[in-house]
């Protein structure tokens, strides 16, 4: 066999093998993108998907201190730490009386989607499209992080390394937020928001609804924890 023919056969083989690797990688990328979008919908779905802001208090809301649209945020009943009444929302002005979603980690996405559409939840297709519900179900099934690994639940302080976090922040985040975390004029200073460690970790892992902010979920979660540790040193 001539050398040129060998080369063509090798090239064809490499192209086929490369294609298989590329399509497996793009399936993983689709999944990760769906998970982080689900995380932002869990945060504040109508900011993320541009649906109408819900009107009136959610009929299943059992707390006393919140009302109207905010009671339709998944996080308002189930918590930033996903643990509901067994986590940070077990007391205080965000007490919701509802269990968390941790038992649904690893469950079938279709079963979770059915819960989001059930009578207790009452999310209509105008609020959350089927694609939105699929992203939420992916987040609940495959995207949950046990935040107590990274944030001390009692103090809300990050267990991460603030010195490393400063390096990440001043290279990745500084363009939008400034070194002092105050560059976005109409937003709360990051140092002031950072007291709530579990909320900060959620935002850093999954992104900020509506904002062109990166979501770091695909990276080692210690990077997000290090960033939160640095945010907790910023001026208020
Ligand atoms: C107003 C309160 C409220 C809001 C908002 C809310 N839920 Fe729930 N959720 C509940 C209640 C109540 C249950 C039932 C808990 C029980 O069985 O005791 C529940 C249960 C669940 C469960 C099953 C819990 C388990 O056992 O793991 C999942 C998953 C879930 N909700 C997802 C969501 C998602 C996603 C959103 C946002 C799109 C959301 N919920 C918004 C009240 C709420
Ligand atoms: C492309 C611009 C952009 C980049 C880059 C960016 N952010 Fe943001 N971020 C935003 C915007 C916009 C908001 C929303 C501000 C508001 O209105 O509260 C936001 C909000 C946040 C919040 C929520 C603050 C709150 O009050 O709840 C946190 C935490 C945060 N960013 C951390 C980070 C970190 C950490 C990085 C780097 C890994 C980063 N951001 C990179 C644009 C950006």
């Amino acid at each position: 066999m001539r050398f040129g023919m060998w080369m063509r056969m090798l090239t064809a083989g490499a192209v086929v093998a490369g294609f298989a690797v590329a399509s497996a990688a793009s399936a993983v990328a689709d999944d990760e993108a769906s998970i982080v979008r689900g995380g932002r919908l869990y945060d504040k779905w109508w900011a993320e998907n541009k649906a109408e802001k819900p009107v009136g208090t959610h009929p299943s809301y059992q707390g006393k201190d919140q009302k109207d649209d905010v009671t339709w945020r998944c996080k308002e009943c189930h918590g930033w730490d996903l643990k509901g009444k067994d986590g940070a929302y077990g007391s205080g002005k965000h007490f919701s009386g509802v269990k968390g979603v941790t038992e649904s980690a690893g469950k079938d996405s279709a079963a979770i989607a059915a819960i989001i559409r059930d009578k207790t939840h009452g999310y209509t297709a105008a609020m959350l499209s089927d694609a939105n519900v699929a992203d939420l179900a992916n987040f609940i099934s495959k995207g949950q992080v046990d935040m107590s690994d990274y944030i001390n639940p009692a103090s809300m302080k990050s267990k991460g390394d603030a010195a490393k976090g400063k390096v990440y922040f001043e290279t990745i985040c500084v363009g939008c937020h400034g070194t002092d975390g105050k560059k976005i004029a109409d937003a709360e200073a990051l140092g002031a928001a950072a007291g709530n460690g579990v909320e900060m970790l959620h935002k850093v892992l999954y992104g900020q609804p509506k904002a062109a902010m990166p979501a770091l979920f695909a990276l080692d979660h210690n990077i997000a924890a290090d960033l939160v540790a640095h945010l907790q040193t910023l001026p208020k």
Side-chain angles (χ1 to χ4, degrees):
M1 201 185 296
R2 280 179 300 121
F3 178 71
M5 200 183 281
W6 266 113
M7 282 309 290
R8 275 196 298 278
M9 287 175 67
L10 281 172
T11 313
V15 167
V16 170
F19 179 74
V21 170
S23 46
S26 81
V28 172
D30 287 350
D31 231 28
E32 298 274 309
S34 168
I35 287 169
V36 295
R37 180 140 200 281
R40 292 192 297 273
L41 291 163
Y42 181 93
D43 176 340
K44 194 175 187 182
W45 48 269
W46 63 92
E48 178 65 19
N49 70 2
K50 302 187 177 69
E52 297 265 336
K53 185 158 98 172
V55 176
T57 299
H58 194 297
S60 297
Y61 181 66
Q62 296 166 38
K64 306 191 301 303
D65 295 330
Q66 308 296 324
K67 59 180 171 64
D68 299 333
D69 52 315
V70 295
T71 62
W72 289 82
R73 294 171 77 178
C74 310
K75 78 94 196 166
E76 196 56 54
C77 284
H78 297 299
W80 292 114
D81 56 12
L82 312 164
K83 293 180 179 158
K85 62 179 159 62
D86 301 314
Y89 283 5
S91 62
K93 66 182 194 307
H94 291 285
F95 172 80
S96 70
V98 174
K99 72 185 288 200
V101 291
T102 52
E103 283 169 26
S104 293
K107 293 264 168 71
D108 176 42
S109 294
I112 299 170
I115 292 175
I116 296 168
R117 292 272 192 237
D118 71 12
K119 278 213 185 103
T120 302
H121 287 92
Y123 292 106
T124 65
M127 295 173 167
L128 295 169
S129 68
D130 287 346
N132 292 166
V133 169
D135 290 338
L136 278 159
N138 256 337
F139 162 70
I140 299 280
S141 176
K142 301 182 206 169
Q144 294 197 43
V145 168
D146 184 346
M147 294 203 171
S148 61
D149 290 347
Y150 305 99
I151 307 291
N152 180 321
S155 66
M156 281 288 156
K157 292 278 180 219
S158 174
K159 300 177 181 178
D161 179 338
K164 284 188 187 164
K166 181 174 161 70
V167 176
Y168 303 141
F169 188 81
E170 293 186 358
T171 53
I172 306 170
C173 322
V174 68
C176 292
H177 288 291
T179 48
D180 61 358
K182 294 184 173 178
K183 188 173 169 186
I184 300 177
D186 54 350
E188 190 182 13
L190 288 182
N196 189 345
V198 286
E199 175 178 359
M200 294 300 103
L201 189 66
H202 185 100
K203 305 271 190 191
V204 178
L205 287 171
Y206 309 105
Q208 170 78 354
K210 198 174 60 180
M213 186 168 121
L216 303 191
F217 180 77
L219 307 181
D220 181 343
H221 300 340
N222 287 304
I223 293 171
D226 294 344
L227 275 160
V228 175
H230 174 64
L231 298 181
Q232 293 181 329
T233 69
L234 290 177
K236 297 183 180 156

